[in-house]
Amino acid sequence: AGLHLFFVLSGYLITRILLRVRQASSRFGGLRAFYARRALRIFPAYYLWVAFAVATVPEVRATWPWHVGYLSNFLFYDQAQWAGPVSHWWSLAVEEQFYLVWPLAVIFAPRPLLLPLACVGIGMAAPVRAALTAAGHPLAFVGILTPAVLDCLGLGSLLGLIADASPSEIGRAHV
């Protein structure tokens, strides 16, 4: 539950930041600056930890490309097992995957589409989890895929959009 709350908060904060970037004179420049700030904040510590894990954790040595590419969640899902001290990397992978797509939508999609897009993310998470679980995949691992947690990220994004929206925008979106 705590991690899901973190995803909601993350969706909210990132959306609010991106809405400010959207107002910049150059959306491309703002987006580039957004990604640069994220990279400078996250990459050094993460890649130092990956390097340390590769050097000290044998299981990570064999799977390092997954972790370097922020795909740990897909690795753990595919193997249906955790990787000891780096098991929490699935949540970092989800965050980075979200950061690849959502900023592009917020910066470049027409403003009236953003509320419906957030709602689509919210609405698709439960059916994705249900379909994968019905197909025999363990729920513990289904829940670590990015589409399966879009309800949390999407809820945070939706709240960020609503906090920034005028009443007429909300009425037009039919939320």
Side-chain angles (χ1 to χ4, degrees), residues 34 79 83 94 97:
F34 168 79
Q79 294 180 345
V94 165
Q97 292 158 18

Side-chain angles (χ1 to χ4, degrees), residues 106-154:
V106 173
I107 300 301
F108 298 113
R111 181 72 164 95
L113 284 180
L114 294 178
L115 285 170
L117 282 173
C119 290
V120 166
I122 293 167
M124 73 180 283
V128 164
R129 289 189 301 266
L132 291 172
T133 303
H137 300 276
L139 184 58
F141 293 98
V142 165
I144 66 173
L145 296 177
T146 304
V149 295
L150 281 181
D151 47 358
C152 299
L153 291 162

Side-chain angles (χ1 to χ4, degrees), residues 94-113:
V94 165
E95 286 281 321
E96 291 304 312
Q97 292 158 18
F98 179 69
Y99 293 160
L100 285 177
V101 177
W102 186 240
L104 296 172
V106 173
I107 300 301
F108 298 113
R111 181 72 164 95
L113 284 180

Side-chain angles (χ1 to χ4, degrees), residues 62-74:
T63 59
W64 69 267
W66 290 89
H67 308 300
V68 167
Y70 281 102
L71 297 168
S72 303
N73 59 335
F74 286 101

Side-chain angles (χ1 to χ4, degrees), residues 7-127:
F7 285 146
V8 172
L9 183 60
S10 181
Y12 175 84
L13 293 173
I14 291 303
T15 300
R16 295 302 305 265
I17 290 167
L18 290 167
L19 289 170
R20 285 192 301 272
V21 168
R22 184 181 170 97
Q23 302 304 319
S25 58
S26 167
R27 289 186 184 184
F28 286 106
L31 186 62
R32 189 172 37 251
F34 168 79
Y35 280 126
R37 281 190 305 272
R38 302 300 307 164
L40 288 172
R41 186 173 154 259
I42 296 169
F43 288 1
Y46 178 74
Y47 286 116
L48 184 63
W49 177 228
V50 170
F52 176 77
V54 167
T56 61
V57 181
E59 307 88 48
V60 176
R61 208 168 294 127
T63 59
W64 69 267
W66 290 89
H67 308 300
V68 167
Y70 281 102
L71 297 168
S72 303
N73 59 335
F74 286 101
L75 174 68
F76 302 152
Y77 170 79
D78 182 58
Q79 294 180 345
Q81 66 181 15
W82 299 109
V86 299
S87 296
H88 65 284
W89 286 356
W90 76 266
S91 63
L92 299 172
V94 165
E95 286 281 321
E96 291 304 312
Q97 292 158 18
F98 179 69
Y99 293 160
L100 285 177
V101 177
W102 186 240
L104 296 172
V106 173
I107 300 301
F108 298 113
R111 181 72 164 95
L113 284 180
L114 294 178
L115 285 170
L117 282 173
C119 290
V120 166
I122 293 167
M124 73 180 283

